[in-house]
């Protein structure tokens, strides 16, 4: 039987406790970061945790079984031109290569 695929909002502290989080973050940086040619990766986890507590940062996680397979993180804030509307801006996203091209999970 195939492992269960799950998606949902998760607390950053839980994600940071995952044994493979370093691999996912480094994978994102190496493969997708538009700034890697000029800036080194240096996440401010404490600030992200504070912003999550304030309701302006969140993470949507993908899991296969209990394994963290990927994530999308968002900064939430009103748009300066549309201040009555909350916008979510992609702060980083990554799906581990081992879970890509696997049907519903890795399109």
């Amino acid at each position: 039987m195939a492992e269960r695929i799950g998606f949902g909002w998760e607390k950053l502290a839980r994600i940071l406790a995952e044994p493979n989080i370093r691999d996912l973050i480094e994978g994102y940086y190496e493969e997708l970061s538009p700034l890697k040619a000029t800036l080194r990766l240096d996440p401010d986890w404490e600030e992200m945790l504070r912003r999550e507590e304030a309701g302006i940062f969140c993470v949507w996680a993908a899991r296969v079984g209990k394994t963290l397979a990927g994530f999308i993180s968002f900064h939430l804030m009103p748009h300066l031109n549309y201040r009555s509307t909350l916008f979510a801006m992609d702060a980083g996203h990554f799906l581990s290569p081992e879970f890509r091209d696997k049907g519903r999970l890795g399109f």
Side-chain angles (χ1 to χ4, degrees):
M1 185 168 144
E3 289 189 86
R4 183 178 179 278
I5 298 170
F7 304 91
W9 300 111
E10 291 191 18
K11 293 289 188 183
L12 180 58
R14 179 180 181 203
I15 290 170
L16 292 177
E18 291 293 322
N20 67 335
I21 189 59
R22 179 178 289 272
D23 294 336
L24 292 174
I25 297 296
E26 289 176 0
Y28 158 76
Y29 177 72
E30 289 300 322
E31 187 175 336
L32 298 172
S33 176
L35 302 173
K36 82 174 185 182
T38 56
L39 297 173
R40 72 177 179 84
L41 184 62
D42 185 23
D44 187 345
W45 300 120
E46 291 79 18
E47 181 61 22
M48 286 183 224
L49 288 163
R50 280 191 289 278
R51 289 179 183 204
E52 179 183 57
E53 187 65 30
I56 57 174
F57 181 81
C58 59
V59 181
W60 182 260
R63 290 186 178 272
V64 176
K66 294 183 179 186
T67 302
L68 183 64
F71 64 88
I72 304 173
S73 56
F74 298 97
H75 296 288
L76 306 171
M77 61 192 75
H79 193 287
L80 294 176
N81 293 326
Y82 310 98
R83 65 182 174 179
S84 63
T85 303
L86 188 64
F87 279 70
M89 284 150 269
D90 183 342
H93 58 274
F94 190 72
L95 180 63
S96 179
E98 69 185 278
F99 297 108
R100 296 180 192 170
D101 301 320
K102 305 278 186 197
R104 294 182 302 159
L105 182 63
F107 287 114

